[in-house]
Amino acid sequence: MKPYIGVRELRSDLQAKKYSAVELAQFYLDRIARFNDRINCFITVDTESCLERAAAADRKLATSNSPSLCGIPIAHKDLFCTAGVRTTCASNMLRSFIAPYDATVVKRTSDAGAVSLGKTNMDEFAMGSSNETSCFGVVRNPWNLQRVPGGSSGGAAASVSAGMTPLATGSDTGGSIRQPASLCGVTGLKPTYGRVSRFGMIAFASSLDQGGPLAHSAVDVWELLTEMEGHDPRDSTSANIKKTELAGFDRTFVIGYPESLFDGLDKNIAACIDVARKQFEALGHKIEVVELPHIDAAVAAYYVLSSAEASTNLARYDGVRYGHRTESSVDLLDMYCRTRTEGFGLEVKRRILTGTYSLSVGYFDAYYLKAQKIRRLVRDGFLEAFKKVDLILAPVSPTTAFEIKSIKKGPIEMYRQDLYTIPVSLAGLPALSLPCGFVEDLPIGMQLIGPHFSEGDVLTGGIAFQNETDWHDRHPDLETTCTS
Amino acid sequence: MDDLTIQRLMSLSQLSLDAEDKDKISRDLDAIIGFIEIMNKVDTEGVEPLAHAVDLDQPLREDRADLDIDRGLFQSIAPETADGFYLVPKVLDRR
Amino acid sequence: MTSNWEPVVGIEVHVQLATRSKIFSTTSVEFGAAPNVRANLIDLAMPGALPVLNEEAVTMAVKFGLAINAEIAETCVFDRKNYFYPDLPKGYQISQFDSPIVGRGQLAVLLEDGSVREIGITRAHLEEDAGKSVHDRFAESTGIDLNRAGTPLLEIVTEPDMRSAAEAAACFRQIHSLVSWLDICDGNLAEGSMRCDANVSVRKVGDETFGERTEIKNINSFRFVERALNYEIERQIDVLERGGEIVRETRQYDADRDVTLSMRSKELSDDYRYFPDPDLLPLRLSSTFLETVRSTMPELPEQKLERFVSDYTLAPPVAVRLTRDHNIATFYESTVELGADPQQSANWLLGEVAAALNREERDYSDVPVSPKQLADLIARIQDKTLSSSLAKEVFERIWSSDDPVDEIIERRGLRQLSDVEELRALIQRIIEEHPDQVEQVRGGATKVLGYLIGQVMKASQGKADPRQVNELLKGMLNI
């Protein structure tokens, strides 16, 4: 058995009984047991129930109609509620919270036969781009343990990159799937807002949050997406659209190239994406330059909107019905205050205060409403571009994985990590982050962005690229990185 | 950002910060507010605010009632309960 | 001393909508369950839980809007109103701030003196109720029961159109009557199905501008609205006449002491930071939806009133009284549809029935007599089976039993004695037994005639028709 293996191969191996689902789960559990101490990508590993589920998958595999992911291991980001297994959001506030229900994404993947290995580390309440805000400690990049994996789905990206799971769920609010995928050299998709149910996915910013898959390849991302997506009557913002179907591989796309976006980009990263651009051309796709307006203002607008939503989404953590409650308090307000002050980390507090500020009397118009107006301009800019092109090719992150604790100058420097991913989030568009090269032995990714609900095209473009390249097939050597 | 504003934000958010954190966060908030000022460079005259990027309508749910609620399960994760009530430090009702 | 002051009152009424489930969750809204057994993961604001809007709550809000001829918003939005309180599980209430589902409308309010006053309705919006805090059950703690959390509310806001406490109480009563009529609220004030907040200020008669106002919160009976406002109006006048100033504040009515008390709380801020709830999308109401609701609207009080006047030739004041409450109107119509005389039916409902309900402190939703019983009773009066006094006796019996009217008449022998021969024999007996009085009557003492009639009635055990006895007696005495 080998750690890096695609869903289709796993499926045929399991069906051919080359190994059982229990053996497969045990293989990954062993690998987690061996390397997680160093990588720290799992917060919770539930060996017992994992093996039970794998045994159940084996029984199903023995029948003629086993579901599509039957027996295939998966890791859930620790903001998807899982009944019976703690869901922490990497926060002291929920350190021992056991959700009384399964998130729709968890239920659907489980119904599809996927076997959950455990819950992956993340930035606290998904607020961060380096996985350094987790109360369970930073996740280390499998390519270089001194470096961050990106965030907030840092544990998800690192667990796939480290070969601890073939599939992982993540969530993306301003780049939280795409940026860690880029920094860890894996493939991840932020679906169109509304494609994947948010029910049971602990909210950061409700109008931006979107669950999505991470895996070794675009085709595996598609395999997982089709089991995560679909209308959910329990989420008002869930769209009623049909399952993602891939386009034919003879399909040629007009791919937009937002030239100005590359101006300030690291030359080496720009060079990688430039090579990719030529490869697309070589495959018969057409490249056309497009303009995307208001990118800088988009980052600001994103922080206003996401913090505003977060500030009230996190008001429910009051120590009354679940989660952390302070040991002793003199009265109700003291209980609230101590509970929340103890339960939330600094970055979460910063965002709550920022959000509260922008919603306050006297500031609402200048910040919150202004940001919503910019949001419209940003979205309309994309919609305008998509009148001319089918897809847009863009950077994911301005740097490769940076060193742990290297961003010290304050929050703004960290926020700018998401310069290329945030506009897409504001516009609610689907975007695939996929590896396109290495800079100084660290992987770097690029984004393929499409119009609303065009995941089929975005993934087809990604699969076509990966059919011609092997960036996604390169993996870190844990034997070396974790033992040195 | 002045101390009064920070105090007010903390009170609205039910957070308290020690002097060191307050100082740090206060500086961060200044930086953040300085940073988001960049929005003012964009002319948004006549632009309608956008709450959701995808144009969807609110769905309506059929009025069917569910009586099957497992209070024991929900309260098993609560910090403090008695006789089916959630308990909090005594408050005077302001309503 | 207070005659040159004019009170200005507007009210806000919170109406619990009579849906089966909560506004954003599928939990039953059934009243009276053990604490927290009507609270699912959405009502408890579990991490990851999301709201989905109940169609029936929307329908009911639209019904109210149509009934007051209001503009129904094509698109409306749900906002978060943010504040911390233990019975508010999410730390915000989902409400509608600047785009309510129901816009401006008009309500015809029936006043005590029978006159009608048009009161402007500013808006009505949908929101969710909070849970309950129980302060007296635990020594060291407050208990939180979230059964009520998420119950759909329609908050109806009036213009400051009322000029007395009595008008405000009448307006509250009218809203109560209308929402009951529309069947969108059970109208049970004792269980908190409707709660009234009143904004009140006073000004010198003739002033154009309003004075500073106070708000009295959570009044739950018509009587208390009037009492609380009367107290508050007097208090404000008193403050102003002493040269003081009214402070804008929220006050609470203490019914035991019949006073209003300030309930300012310094520690809890009032910056609610309203913004559109990103878990919900704009609610667009199609014309098809509105037409469907319109087609299920019951006949409204004014329409019924007009029809009662024209179809049953009732006097307008009578028709007004019959249509001020849906239960009485329905009872009336059922009775008439069973063939009862419309005028007689109105007389009985507003007379004997009203008096009996009043005596027992019941209302028209709770009439122990069925329309069929009342219709039969009226029929027996008209076919002279029953005299009016016998009819009252039968009425008392049907008030306390479900037995059919005819059965009661037969069983108790209450049939009017109208057989002429039988009656003549009875009269003859009385004439023979009272020779002196007969002599007096023949001599012109008409008063004594009444005495003889009384004797006949007594002998007939009240079953004779006094008018018939009168005629027969006169004939037999040749006078």
Side-chain angles (χ1 to χ4, degrees):
Chain A
M1 236 176 281
K2 51 188 194 208
Y4 301 102
I5 179 165
V7 167
R8 288 175 180 189
E9 197 181 335
L10 286 170
R11 184 183 293 142
S12 63
D13 287 357
L14 285 166
Q15 278 166 357
K17 310 264 184 305
K18 276 174 77 175
Y19 38 79
S20 68
V22 169
E23 285 167 329
L24 184 64
Q26 192 60 59
F27 171 78
Y28 282 108
L29 288 170
D30 288 346
R31 210 170 147 82
I32 293 166
R34 199 160 155 223
F35 296 116
N36 193 49
D37 277 357
R38 299 302 307 278
I39 311 280
N40 196 29
C41 52
F42 279 87
I43 290 175
T44 304
V45 180
D46 189 6
T47 307
E48 200 178 318
S49 86
C50 171
L51 290 173
E52 274 171 28
R53 283 161 200 268
D58 277 328
R59 287 191 293 277
K60 251 182 267 169
L61 281 162
T63 67
S64 56
N65 53 348
S66 56
S68 83
L69 299 179
C70 197
I72 298 177
I74 192 169
H76 290 298
K77 185 175 181 178
D78 208 16
L79 51 48
F80 288 101
C81 287
T82 44
V85 178
R86 72 174 174 164
T87 302
T88 70
C89 255
S91 177
N92 281 322
M93 186 60 88
L94 295 175
R95 188 175 268 273
S96 51
F97 172 68
I98 296 181
Y101 73 113
D102 276 334
T104 299
V105 160
V106 170
K107 170 144 199 340
R108 286 192 176 163
T109 52
S110 164
D111 288 349
V115 174
S116 174
L117 296 162
K119 310 292 289 290
T120 60
N121 207 340
M122 55 186 280
D123 279 295
E124 185 181 3
F125 281 101
M127 297 173 188
S129 309
S130 65
N131 218 121
E132 290 170 298
T133 69
S134 166
C135 79
F136 294 98
V138 67
V139 175
R140 292 174 182 274
N141 192 312
W143 290 91
N144 181 331
L145 300 190
Q146 306 316 310
R147 292 179 184 258
V148 303
S152 65
S153 310
S159 66
V160 173
S161 169
M164 294 182 188
T165 179
L167 296 174
T169 58
S171 72
D172 190 313
T173 305
S176 282
I177 288 175
R178 291 162 288 163
Q179 184 252 17
S182 168
L183 269 45
C184 290
V186 302
T187 306
L189 176 79
K190 182 202 97 75
T192 308
Y193 183 84
R195 183 178 283 281
V196 172
S197 167
R198 294 186 301 113
F199 188 79
M201 186 175 88
I202 298 180
F204 160 16
S206 310
S207 81
L208 294 153
D209 294 344
Q210 186 61 200
L214 296 99
H216 295 304
S217 65
V219 71
D220 284 4
V221 160
W222 174 72
E223 292 275 4
L224 178 51
L225 176 67
T226 56
E227 299 300 344
M228 292 172 76
E229 67 184 345
H231 182 244
D232 182 0
R234 294 187 296 181
D235 173 3
S236 294
T237 63
S238 162
N240 204 346
I241 33 119
K242 62 180 175 61
K243 278 199 169 191
T244 300
E245 284 173 23
L246 298 176
F249 288 107
D250 51 348
R251 169 90 188 270
T252 56
F253 296 110
V254 180
I255 299 177
Y257 193 72
E259 223 168 32
S260 56
L261 231 55
F262 291 84
D263 286 349
L265 184 64
D266 176 285
K267 290 284 170 290
N268 294 319
I269 296 174
C272 290
I273 301 176
D274 200 50
V275 172
R277 179 179 65 108
K278 290 184 179 118
Q279 270 160 329
F280 277 115
E281 277 182 311
L283 285 167
H285 303 295
K286 236 178 85 187
I287 301 291
E288 198 162 306
V289 172
V290 291
E291 278 306 314
L292 295 175
H294 312 301
I295 297 299
D296 283 332
V299 178
Y302 167 82
Y303 276 94
V304 170
L305 297 174
S306 62
S307 302
E309 293 181 17
S311 72
T312 96
N313 279 336
L314 271 57
R316 65 187 58 195
Y317 305 103
D318 59 3
V320 179
R321 299 163 311 284
Y322 48 76
H324 175 70
R325 179 193 283 200
T326 191
E327 289 287 317
S328 65
S329 50
V330 297
D331 60 20
L332 176 74
L333 291 187
D334 189 47
M335 189 278 278
Y336 278 161
C337 230
R338 284 173 190 272
T339 296
R340 291 169 59 77
T341 303
E342 292 162 6
F344 294 136
L346 202 60
E347 179 61 23
V348 172
K349 286 174 188 151
R350 201 155 30 214
R351 305 234 192 173
I352 290 175
L353 292 170
T354 308
T356 304
Y357 182 74
S358 64
L359 290 175
S360 292
V361 169
Y363 301 104
F364 183 79
D365 288 8
Y367 296 117
Y368 185 81
L369 268 191
K370 180 79 182 180
Q372 281 200 328
K373 289 173 182 175
I374 289 171
R375 183 173 193 182
R376 180 176 297 276
L377 292 176
V378 170
R379 184 197 63 170
D380 290 355
F382 274 105
L383 297 187
E384 196 57 37
F386 283 123
K387 285 180 183 164
K388 294 194 296 179
V389 300
D390 303 309
L391 301 171
I392 290 173
L393 178 63
V396 178
S397 56
T399 63
T400 54
F402 45 91
E403 287 198 5
I404 290 164
K405 289 186 178 159
S406 65
I407 295 192
K408 297 198 196 89
K409 272 190 279 177
I412 307 304
E413 198 188 349
M414 187 68 84
Y415 295 176
R416 289 192 59 87
Q417 267 295 314
D418 298 327
L419 174 68
Y420 305 114
T421 48
I422 278 173
V424 179
S425 297
L426 284 181
L429 302 167
L432 183 71
S433 170
L434 66 167
C436 65
F438 282 81
V439 175
E440 289 168 2
D441 296 328
L442 290 168
I444 190 70
M446 62 180 178
Q447 278 187 100
L448 272 181
I449 308 160
H452 292 140
F453 303 111
S454 70
E455 281 84 345
D457 288 353
V458 169
L459 286 163
T460 302
I463 293 168
F465 178 80
Q466 290 184 338
N467 283 342
E468 300 298 316
T469 58
D470 69 349
W471 304 116
H472 62 291
D473 282 332
R474 302 196 188 182
H475 307 293
D477 177 8
L478 293 198
E479 302 293 345
T480 312
T481 56
C482 287
T483 49
S484 61
Chain B
M1 182 167 292
D2 59 67
D3 199 51
L4 200 70
T5 311
I6 294 278
Q7 283 299 345
R8 188 172 159 70
L9 293 179
M10 292 198 311
S11 146
L12 284 171
S13 325
Q14 296 294 345
L15 291 170
S16 66
L17 298 170
D18 60 29
E20 194 188 330
D21 276 354
K22 202 164 92 182
D23 192 49
K24 181 166 166 40
I25 280 201
S26 171
R27 269 183 286 121
D28 289 345
L29 288 187
D30 277 334
I32 292 167
I33 287 156
F35 167 66
I36 61 184
E37 290 297 327
I38 197 175
M39 294 197 301
N40 292 329
K41 291 190 182 156
V42 181
D43 180 7
T44 53
E45 187 68 37
V47 178
E48 279 294 305
L50 182 69
H52 283 98
V54 181
D55 202 21
L56 299 168
D57 289 353
Q58 176 59 38
L60 294 173
R61 171 178 64 76
E62 199 188 323
D63 183 23
R64 266 206 304 245
D66 181 8
L67 287 164
D68 186 22
I69 284 170
D70 188 348
R71 183 179 72 184
L73 172 67
F74 291 139
Q75 296 203 335
S76 68
I77 55 171
E80 196 184 357
T81 59
D83 305 343
F85 289 92
Y86 291 94
L87 297 190
V88 298
K90 198 129 191 147
V91 267
L92 289 174
D93 201 344
R94 75 197 167 86
R95 277 180 287 213
Chain C
M1 151 181 132
T2 60
S3 60
N4 57 341
W5 292 97
E6 176 186 58
V8 175
V9 184
I11 62 173
E12 293 168 18
V13 181
H14 291 83
V15 175
Q16 274 186 358
L17 296 175
T19 52
R20 282 188 278 273
S21 62
K22 294 186 177 182
I23 182 165
F24 296 116
S25 84
T26 56
T27 310
S28 165
V29 293
E30 213 172 276
F31 182 80
N36 293 305
V37 301
R38 299 275 183 270
N40 74 2
L41 54 95
I42 295 162
D43 314 313
L44 295 170
M46 283 290 162
L50 295 171
V52 183
L53 184 57
N54 182 343
E55 176 166 22
E56 195 58 24
V58 175
T59 300
M60 288 178 170
V62 169
K63 274 188 181 171
F64 178 79
L66 292 173
I68 60 162
N69 273 318
E71 307 147 21
I72 309 294
E74 260 177 61
T75 303
C76 64
V77 171
F78 288 90
D79 297 290
R80 291 183 180 178
K81 178 182 181 179
N82 296 285
Y83 64 95
F84 282 90
Y85 204 72
D87 59 22
L88 189 71
K90 294 188 290 296
Y92 56 83
Q93 178 195 31
I94 305 178
S95 180
Q96 297 192 294
F97 182 50
D98 50 14
S99 85
I101 184 164
V102 175
R104 234 158 235 292
Q106 287 286 321
L107 183 70
V109 174
L110 182 68
L111 301 178
E112 287 283 292
D113 64 2
S115 66
V116 169
R117 192 144 144 52
E118 289 285 318
I119 299 293
I121 301 293
T122 315
R123 56 181 283 173
H125 68 257
L126 284 167
E127 62 183 27
E128 57 180 345
D129 209 341
K132 279 182 182 158
S133 300
V134 177
H135 303 291
D136 49 8
R137 182 167 174 149
F138 305 97
E140 302 292 319
S141 308
T142 291
I144 306 298
D145 175 9
L146 298 171
N147 283 352
R148 198 181 66 181
T151 301
L153 294 178
L154 185 67
E155 180 174 336
I156 301 161
V157 182
T158 77
E159 293 288 297
D161 282 354
M162 286 145 292
R163 294 291 173 267
S164 71
E167 282 185 13
C171 184
F172 184 23
R173 196 185 293 273
Q174 192 74 51
I175 289 174
H176 176 268
S177 148
L178 179 59
V179 295
S180 309
W181 186 287
L182 295 170
D183 206 17
I184 62 175
C185 176
D186 68 15
N188 192 331
L189 271 61
E191 286 176 7
S193 297
M194 284 180 74
R195 305 182 312 260
C196 181
D197 300 344
N199 285 295
V200 56
S201 62
V202 296
R203 63 178 174 188
K204 282 276 168 64
V205 172
D207 275 3
E208 298 268 307
T209 55
F210 294 147
E212 186 58 271
R213 64 167 201 249
T214 60
E215 184 179 22
I216 313 170
K217 281 267 188 205
N218 271 331
I219 325 173
N220 65 357
S221 88
F222 306 128
R223 206 156 38 105
F224 288 168
V225 166
E226 193 162 344
R227 282 211 213 152
L229 279 169
N230 274 330
Y231 174 87
E232 181 60 15
I233 289 163
E234 287 303 318
R235 189 192 68 85
Q236 289 191 10
I237 292 170
D238 191 51
V239 168
L240 293 171
E241 295 217 325
R242 287 164 190 250
E245 272 185 15
I246 302 301
V247 185
R248 181 181 287 220
E249 63 180 354
T250 303
R251 300 179 70 86
Q252 194 166 27
Y253 178 61
D254 180 338
D256 295 333
R257 293 158 59 199
D258 194 25
V259 294
T260 66
L261 301 167
S262 177
M263 51 188 291
R264 260 171 304 174
S265 71
K266 290 190 184 82
E267 68 278 17
L268 292 160
S269 169
D270 58 349
D271 185 351
Y272 292 125
R273 290 157 287 137
Y274 284 100
F275 79 111
D277 188 337
D279 284 331
L280 294 161
L281 299 163
L283 173 63
R284 293 196 181 103
L285 297 177
S286 65
S287 50
T288 329
F289 182 86
L290 292 188
E291 277 322 303
T292 311
V293 177
R294 205 186 294 276
S295 68
T296 62
M297 288 282 282
E299 189 180 28
L300 292 173
E302 308 85 276
Q303 297 163 339
K304 231 184 234 307
L305 192 151
E306 276 173 39
R307 196 164 52 76
F308 282 8
V309 171
S310 63
D311 288 8
Y312 304 138
T313 58
L314 294 179
V318 173
V320 165
R321 291 178 64 196
L322 285 175
T323 54
R324 72 181 291 172
D325 176 299
H326 192 248
N327 292 309
I328 182 172
T330 309
F331 197 102
Y332 175 74
E333 281 200 283
S334 308
T335 310
V336 172
E337 273 162 22
L338 288 164
D341 176 72
Q343 191 59 55
Q344 285 289 325
S345 302
N347 292 349
W348 273 89
L349 264 178
L350 300 174
E352 293 298 322
V353 174
L357 287 173
N358 212 21
R359 249 191 327 270
E360 298 184 10
E361 291 183 354
R362 303 163 85 141
D363 63 33
Y364 283 100
S365 66
D366 190 23
V367 184
V369 170
S370 72
K372 165 81 174 139
Q373 285 176 312
L374 187 63
D376 287 349
L377 179 66
I378 292 167
R380 294 291 87 81
I381 297 165
Q382 293 208 300
D383 69 12
K384 296 206 160 40
T385 307
L386 292 175
S387 64
S388 60
S389 59
L390 281 175
K392 280 177 191 167
E393 203 179 323
V394 173
F395 178 72
E396 272 166 34
R397 294 189 195 283
I398 56 177
W399 190 262
S400 53
S401 99
D402 293 336
D403 296 345
V405 167
D406 288 339
E407 205 180 296
I408 292 172
I409 293 171
E410 285 307 325
R411 183 148 34 91
R412 308 258 167 177
L414 291 174
R415 185 179 292 278
Q416 184 162 272
L417 187 56
S418 51
D419 182 85
V420 179
E421 287 316 309
E422 209 176 321
L423 208 50
R424 274 179 190 280
L426 195 65
I427 295 170
Q428 190 56 47
R429 205 183 85 212
I430 295 298
I431 290 174
E432 282 162 14
E433 282 171 14
H434 298 83
D436 294 353
Q437 285 83 349
V438 168
E439 210 49 43
Q440 288 169 8
V441 170
R442 286 205 170 114
T446 44
K447 270 190 187 167
V448 182
L449 180 66
Y451 171 80
L452 289 175
I453 292 169
Q455 292 305 306
V456 176
M457 290 304 293
K458 201 171 157 189
S460 78
Q461 291 169 305
K463 289 180 209 164
D465 177 358
R467 266 183 315 186
Q468 201 182 2
V469 173
N470 182 32
E471 276 167 34
L472 286 172
L473 187 61
K474 280 179 177 169
M476 289 163 72
L477 296 177
N478 296 316
I479 54 169

